[in-house]
C-alpha cells in the first residue's frame, strides 16, 4: 500500500511538472534545476555563473530553502528577478511549489530560469519540476564516495560541477575517482572542475550552460 501511495504522489507531481514545462516553453524560457548537498557551494556558483551569463542572457532564479531568504538576497543583489520558496521542512522542491510562484517571474522577458533546489543529495533528483535539464554541484570536501552512495542524482543530471578544487591540497579526496565513478553512473555527464574562489573553470562551465539554450 505504501508503494502505491508514493507512486500516486510522483504521478501527480509529474503531471504538474508537465504543465510547468509547457508554460516555460510557451514563454521561450530554458530551465535548469541546480541540485547538490548543503554547503556544496550552489549559491556561490550561481552568483559567479550569473555574472558571466548576464551580458548574454536574461536570467531569473527560483531559490529553494527550508527556511530563510539569505540566498535570494544574494542573488537579488545581482539585479535579476528572484523568487524565494521556503518549504517549511520538505527536503526538495516539487512541481506544485514551482507552479505556485511562476506568476512572480516575468517569464516572457527571460531567456533562462535557474532553480536552486533545497540542499540534499537524494530527494531533489526524484521530483521533476518542469525543467529542461538537471545540474549537480559536488564539493570536493564532501568526499569521493558520494557518487556510489547517492547514484540517482548523478544518473539524472546532465552536468556536474566538482566544486572547491582550491581545497584539494587540504582534503583527502581522489578527484579522479569522483570523476570516473560519476561517469560510470552516467557516461553522458559533462563534468567541470571549478573553484569559485579563484575563478578556475567557471568560464568553461558558463559557456557550456549558455550554449544549452540554443540546442
Amino acid at each position: 500500500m505504501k508503494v502505491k501511495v508514493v507512486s500516486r504522489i510522483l504521478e501527480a507531481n509529474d503531471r504538474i511538472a508537465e504543465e510547468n514545462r509547457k508554460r516555460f516553453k510557451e514563454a521561450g524560457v530554458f530551465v535548469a534545476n541546480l541540485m547538490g548537498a548543503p554547503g556544496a557551494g550552489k549559491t556561490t556558483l550561481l552568483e559567479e555563473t550569473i555574472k558571466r551569463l548576464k551580458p548574454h542572457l536574461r536570467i531569473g532564479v527560483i531559490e529553494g530553502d527550508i527556511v530563510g531568504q539569505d540566498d535570494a538576497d544574494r542573488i537579488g543583489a545581482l539585479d535579476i528577478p528572484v523568487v524565494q520558496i521556503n518549504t517549511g521542512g520538505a527536503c526538495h522542491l516539487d512541481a506544485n511549489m514551482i507552479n505556485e510562484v511562476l506568476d512572480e517571474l516575468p517569464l516572457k522577458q527571460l531567456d533562462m530560469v535557474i532553480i536552486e533546489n533545497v540542499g540534499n543529495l537524494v530527494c531533489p533528483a526524484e521530483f521533476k519540476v518542469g525543467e529542461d535539464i538537471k545540474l549537480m554541484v559536488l564539493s570536493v570536501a564532501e568526499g569521493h564516495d558520494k557518487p556510489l552512495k547517492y547514484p540517482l542524482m548523478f544518473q539524472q543530471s546532465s552536468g556536474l560541477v566538482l566544486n572547491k578544487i582550491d581545497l584539494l591540497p587540504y582534503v583527502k579526496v581522489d578527484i579522479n575517482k569522483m570523476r570516473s565513478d560519476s561517469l560510470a553512473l552516467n557516461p553522458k555527464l559533462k563534468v567541470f572542475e571549478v573553484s569559485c574562489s579563484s575563478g578556475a573553470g567557471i568560464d568553461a562551465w558558463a559557456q557550456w550552460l549558455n550554449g544549452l539554450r540554443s540546442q
Side-chain angles (χ1 to χ4, degrees), residues 36-153:
K42 297 186 298 299
T43 306
T44 302
L45 176 68
L46 187 52
E47 288 174 314
E48 295 302 318
T49 303
I50 290 169
K51 291 174 185 177
R52 288 159 175 80
L53 291 182
K54 194 175 177 183
H56 312 289
L57 296 174
R58 298 170 298 174
I59 303 171
V61 170
I62 297 174
E63 281 287 346
D65 286 295
I66 293 177
V67 295
Q69 64 176 57
D70 290 353
D71 292 349
D73 290 342
R74 288 170 58 182
I75 299 302
L78 298 174
D79 194 29
I80 65 167
V82 58
V83 178
Q84 176 74 54
I85 297 176
N86 288 337
T87 68
C91 58
H92 61 275
L93 296 176
D94 63 29
N96 190 57
M97 294 176 191
I98 299 298
N99 185 271
E100 290 182 349
V101 302
L102 291 185
D103 287 338
E104 305 299 320
L105 287 174
L107 290 180
K108 293 185 178 180
Q109 301 173 31
L110 299 176
D111 300 309
M112 179 179 289
V113 169
I114 302 176
I115 299 167
E116 183 182 344
N117 219 307
V118 179
N120 191 310
L121 276 175
V122 182
C123 303
E126 298 177 346
F127 285 80
K128 299 176 182 177
V129 294
E131 69 274 68
D132 293 290
I133 192 170
K134 286 183 171 71
L135 305 169
M136 183 183 173
V137 185
L138 179 68
S139 162
V140 298
E142 294 173 66
H144 52 247
D145 58 345
K146 296 303 178 289
L148 298 184
K149 284 186 174 181
Y150 303 95
L152 182 62
M153 189 170 288

